[in-house]
């Protein structure tokens, strides 16, 4: 099939799709814009970005994700609450119903790659019924050249039909929505949700399975950038911790904002774009990301738009707090075009501590780094979910639990080995609260977080003095240019020191309780960090 062909019902027979109407095959951005407008899927904003709504789901449907339990992958999967099994026969039946649904439909196909490193990249095909989902895939994955498109064969395929719904009593799903990964058939099927993030996170799940097993490559839910001296840094963190914000630094080149691999040469991006959370995005605090919201090719998910003036309001959360912008990396001015860089000099582990007891930065030993990597801590704040009345601790294995199909120890041991081998400096950075918990204290200023991260990356903090935190055993720097000294030790920022001690003790207990499940599979010195 030639580049940008629009064909009638042919070319997808290998997937069982034999009677589609029109097939738009890897169409460019301009063609997809035309189709989005023609089909009423979105509106062009006044400066050229396309605004869309995802419908009922404005975030991932975590409870609706399954992995087909088949012999080849059964023994490798860490089955449980996250990696829920799905019977092969039920998958086949559901897929057959999905094929029937596609009869006579217009389909959009993007053939692209996951992985910037040509040695390790995965050829993927994304088949959708929505033109804007096809644009999302075009933004988020690595684009193939016209020459590569002539001969490439997909190694994994995603078929996403948001308007097709499962029947739970028939299909064995939890609801009408489903995201099902089938390693044996090299196929992912998605239905009942318009949230485009399911496309990228499904492929991330695939890479998190294949790369550690087949190539001993550490797959990571992290952003990454590189300095003028070639010093690479990676930033682990869950949504809302500052992973995208802190890695988009005008003085450093961005490798990628969300997913990377670490092989024997260094770090490489899995993606060709960024998927930034943009609620209340500030031009002053995040100028590079802000500018992407005004660019042709950017998708604005669930962002409020005036239908007359076509101006967007980034402060409006009436649709969701999880407003997003999907844009190609080339929308950012200072990027690493190859998507690859050398071994990291520094690892930053980000948390948004709503309890307000973790320091804004702390130096980690290698054992502490593995402990906090496996813990993957952040906190929800009151008001973000029904029933949350006070800060709520969240632990997500390897800062990406929902996307990690293997035993967490596999990822943890790979990280520990690489930290030791390359003598990497590790840091824990809290972008959350200071002076008290959420509702009492205040969010740590982004300027302070940037100053602390910069001091860690340029080596200033390495040669400074430290004091020991008595609760978490962390090394806290006593000084950093641009940050008031009293901010560095969180206990000093609390008016009620006894309340700080009580709150810190409670969070330590939550860490210990969560880590019980890892103790048997990690070295003793890691198990005894707390």
């Amino acid at each position: 099939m030639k580049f940008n062909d629009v064909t009638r019902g042919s070319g997808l027979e290998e997937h069982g799709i034999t009677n589609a109407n029109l097939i738009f095959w890897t169409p460019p951005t301009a063609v997809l814009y035309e189709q989005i407008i023609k089909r009423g899927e979105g509106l062009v904003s006044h400066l050229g970005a396309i605004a869309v709504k995802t419908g009922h789901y404005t975030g991932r449907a975590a409870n609706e994700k399954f992995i087909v339990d088949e012999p080849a992958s059964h023994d490798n999967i860490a089955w449980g609450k996250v990696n829920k099994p799905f019977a092969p026969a039920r998958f086949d039946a559901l897929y057959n119903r999905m094929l029937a649904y596609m009869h006579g439909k217009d389909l959009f196909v993007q053939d692209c790659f996951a992985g910037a490193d040509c040695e390790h990249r995965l050829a993927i095909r994304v088949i959708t019924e929505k033109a804007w989902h096809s644009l999302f895939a075009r933004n988020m994955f690595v684009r193939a050249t016209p020459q590569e498109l002539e001969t490439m064969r997909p190694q994994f395929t995603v078929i996403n039909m948001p308007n097709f719904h499962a029947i739970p009593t028939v299909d064995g799903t939890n609801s009408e929505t489903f995201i099902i990964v089938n390693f044996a058939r090299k196929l992912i099927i998605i239905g009942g949700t318009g949230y485009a993030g399911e496309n990228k996170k499904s492929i991330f799940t695939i890479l998190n399975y294949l790369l550690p097993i087949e190539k001993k490559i550490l797959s990571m839910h992290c952003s990454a950038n590189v300095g003028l001296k070639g010093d690479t840094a990676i930033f682990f963190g869950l949504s809302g911790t500052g992973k995208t914000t802190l890695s988009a630094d005008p003085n450093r080149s961005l490798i990628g904002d969300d997913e990377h691999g670490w092989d024997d040469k260094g770090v490489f991006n899995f993606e060709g774009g960024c998927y930034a959370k943009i609620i209340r995005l500030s031009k002053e605090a995040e100028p590079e990301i802000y500018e992407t919201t005004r660019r042709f090719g950017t998708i604005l998910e669930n962002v409020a738009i005036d239908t007359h003036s076509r101006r967007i309001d980034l402060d409006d959360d009436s649709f969701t707090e999880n407003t997003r912008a999907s844009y190609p990396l080339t929308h950012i001015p200072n990027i690493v075009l190859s998507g690859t860089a050398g071994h990291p000099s520094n690892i930053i582990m980000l948390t948004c501590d709503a309890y307000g007891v973790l320091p804004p930065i702390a130096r980690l030993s290698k054992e502490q780094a593995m402990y906090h990597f496996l813990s993957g801590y952040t906190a929800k704040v009151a008001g973000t979910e029904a029933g949350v009345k006070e800060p709520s601790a969240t632990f997500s294995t390897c800062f990406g639990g929902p996307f990690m199909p293997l035993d967490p120890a596999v990822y943890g041991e790979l990280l520990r080995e690489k930290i030791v081998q390359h003598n990497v400096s590790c840091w824990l950075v809290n972008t959350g609260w200071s002076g008290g918990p959420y509702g009492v204290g205040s969010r740590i200023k982004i300027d302070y977080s940037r100053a602390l991260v910069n001091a860690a990356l340029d080596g200033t903090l390495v040669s400074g003095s430290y004091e020991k935190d008595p609760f978490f055993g962390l090394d806290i720097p006593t000084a950093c240019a641009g940050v008031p000294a009293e901010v560095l030790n969180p206990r000093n920022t609390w008016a009620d020191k006894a309340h700080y001690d009580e709150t810190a003790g409670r969070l330590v207990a939550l860490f210990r309780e969560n880590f019980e499940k890892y103790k048997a599979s990690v070295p003793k010195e890691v198990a005894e960090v707390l």
Side-chain angles (χ1 to χ4, degrees):
M1 193 61 57
K2 294 187 181 297
F3 183 53
N4 292 340
D5 264 359
V6 180
T7 67
R8 192 169 292 278
S10 63
L12 297 181
E13 293 86 355
E14 62 192 275
H15 307 298
I17 302 170
T18 57
N19 45 22
N21 184 30
L22 292 179
I23 300 173
F24 293 80
W25 209 287
T26 316
T29 300
V31 170
L32 290 169
Y33 257 61
E34 292 168 354
Q35 292 299 319
I36 291 167
I37 303 307
K38 177 183 177 181
R39 296 161 193 271
E41 294 178 8
L43 297 175
V44 179
S45 67
H46 79 295
L47 288 175
I50 193 89
V52 301
K53 295 180 183 177
T54 63
H56 174 71
Y57 283 96
T58 58
R60 290 185 304 102
N63 292 331
E64 318 307 329
K65 183 178 177 181
F66 301 88
I67 295 176
V68 174
D69 188 0
E70 46 81 26
S73 61
H74 174 83
D75 292 339
N76 295 323
I77 304 296
W79 301 106
K81 183 179 179 181
V82 170
N83 299 310
K84 300 182 289 294
F86 201 78
R90 281 194 149 162
F91 177 90
D92 293 343
L94 179 57
Y95 184 48
N96 285 336
R97 289 207 308 108
M98 200 174 192
L99 291 174
Y101 169 82
M102 287 185 270
H103 180 85
K105 297 284 185 185
D106 291 353
L107 300 177
F108 296 85
V109 180
Q110 287 288 337
D111 282 346
C112 38
F113 295 104
D117 189 317
C118 292
E119 183 181 351
H120 306 307
R121 68 186 185 182
L122 188 74
I124 61 173
R125 173 169 292 166
V126 182
I127 303 170
T128 68
E129 63 177 325
K130 297 287 188 183
W132 80 265
H133 272 201
S134 195
L135 178 58
F136 179 90
R138 183 171 176 80
N139 281 351
M140 297 309 305
F141 298 115
V142 179
R143 295 178 188 176
T145 65
Q147 294 74 28
E148 288 170 333
L149 286 170
E150 291 287 349
T151 57
M152 76 179 291
R153 301 281 296 174
Q155 295 166 276
F156 261 87
T157 298
V158 178
I159 301 179
N160 189 342
M161 299 290 129
N163 293 332
F164 173 75
H165 296 84
I167 304 171
T169 55
V170 173
D171 298 311
T173 56
N174 292 331
S175 72
E176 294 181 343
T177 300
F178 59 91
I179 304 97
I180 309 176
V181 178
N182 191 326
F183 287 105
R185 294 188 60 169
K186 301 185 184 304
L187 181 63
I188 301 159
I189 58 174
I190 303 171
T193 172
Y195 182 65
E198 300 290 9
N199 296 293
K200 86 183 214 90
K201 289 307 184 186
S202 294
I203 292 296
F204 187 39
T205 301
I206 296 297
L207 294 171
N208 287 331
Y209 178 86
L210 295 176
L211 292 180
I213 287 180
E214 295 183 356
K215 300 187 176 185
K216 301 301 180 185
I217 292 173
L218 175 61
S219 52
M220 304 175 292
H221 187 212
C222 69
S223 58
N225 63 25
V226 62
L228 295 175
K229 297 179 181 179
D231 56 306
T232 302
I234 58 179
F235 299 75
F236 289 105
L238 300 171
S239 177
T241 59
K243 180 162 52 73
T244 298
T245 299
L246 291 173
S247 59
D249 186 327
N251 299 311
R252 296 174 66 84
S253 297
L254 183 69
I255 304 166
D257 86 323
D258 197 44
E259 303 169 5
H260 293 81
W262 187 353
D263 65 4
D264 57 4
K265 302 188 296 296
V267 170
F268 63 97
N269 192 2
F270 287 167
E271 301 183 298
C274 299
Y275 192 41
K277 191 171 182 178
I278 57 170
I279 189 68
R280 290 176 284 279
L281 185 69
S282 162
K283 182 178 181 179
E284 292 69 34
E286 302 174 69
E288 291 85 4
I289 300 173
Y290 181 86
E291 285 303 315
T292 69
T293 67
R294 304 151 63 88
R295 294 283 301 274
F296 178 83
T298 293
I299 301 169
L300 302 175
E301 269 190 1
N302 299 312
V303 173
I305 182 170
D306 186 308
T307 56
H308 175 69
S309 69
R310 299 297 180 91
R311 294 183 178 274
I312 59 173
D313 184 352
L314 298 178
D315 295 330
D316 190 323
D317 63 357
S318 55
F319 295 128
T320 177
E321 275 276 329
N322 190 35
T323 57
R324 295 272 178 170
S326 163
Y327 50 89
L329 269 167
T330 48
H331 277 18
I332 298 287
N334 51 330
I335 61 169
V336 179
L337 277 172
S338 69
T340 63
H343 296 290
S345 304
N346 288 275
I347 291 175
I348 309 291
M349 297 186 184
L350 298 163
T351 183
C352 177
D353 177 29
Y355 290 90
V357 297
L358 285 175
I361 196 167
R363 182 177 61 186
L364 300 176
S365 68
K366 294 173 177 60
E367 293 74 26
Q368 287 174 323
M370 185 174 178
Y371 185 97
H372 284 278
F373 177 66
L374 288 173
S375 297
Y377 165 72
T378 193
K380 298 174 184 176
V381 297
T384 59
E385 289 186 12
V388 178
K389 304 298 183 184
E390 59 180 26
S392 172
T394 298
F395 296 95
S396 184
T397 303
C398 308
F399 295 98
F403 326 117
M404 302 294 178
L406 305 177
D407 189 303
V410 173
Y411 309 105
E413 185 56 29
L414 278 171
L415 180 72
R416 190 185 69 83
E417 290 174 1
K418 291 182 178 296
I419 289 173
V420 172
Q421 181 180 356
H422 302 289
N423 194 30
V424 184
S425 297
C426 300
W427 309 87
L428 182 68
V429 171
N430 173 26
T431 60
W433 271 256
S434 179
Y438 175 82
V440 177
S442 58
R443 190 84 188 255
I444 295 170
K445 293 181 179 179
I446 185 66
D447 289 344
Y448 293 169
S449 295
R450 286 195 186 281
L452 291 164
V453 168
N454 289 339
L457 299 187
D458 68 18
T460 303
L461 288 186
V462 175
S463 56
S465 60
Y466 289 81
E467 60 180 319
K468 185 71 72 174
D469 161 59
F471 290 94
F472 296 90
L474 299 168
D475 288 332
I476 303 174
T478 57
C480 178
V483 182
E486 63 271 17
V487 172
L488 296 172
N489 188 322
R491 192 173 190 271
N492 295 337
T493 67
W494 283 53
D496 187 339
K497 301 297 191 288
H499 189 201
Y500 171 88
D501 294 344
E502 177 192 355
T503 306
R506 284 197 290 125
L507 186 56
V508 167
L510 292 173
F511 264 90
R512 288 172 175 163
E513 179 184 358
N514 174 71
F515 207 80
E516 281 296 321
K517 57 182 175 286
Y518 305 125
K519 278 192 170 183
S521 57
V522 300
K524 182 180 178 182
E525 57 271 25
V526 174
E528 295 178 352
V529 160
L530 277 184

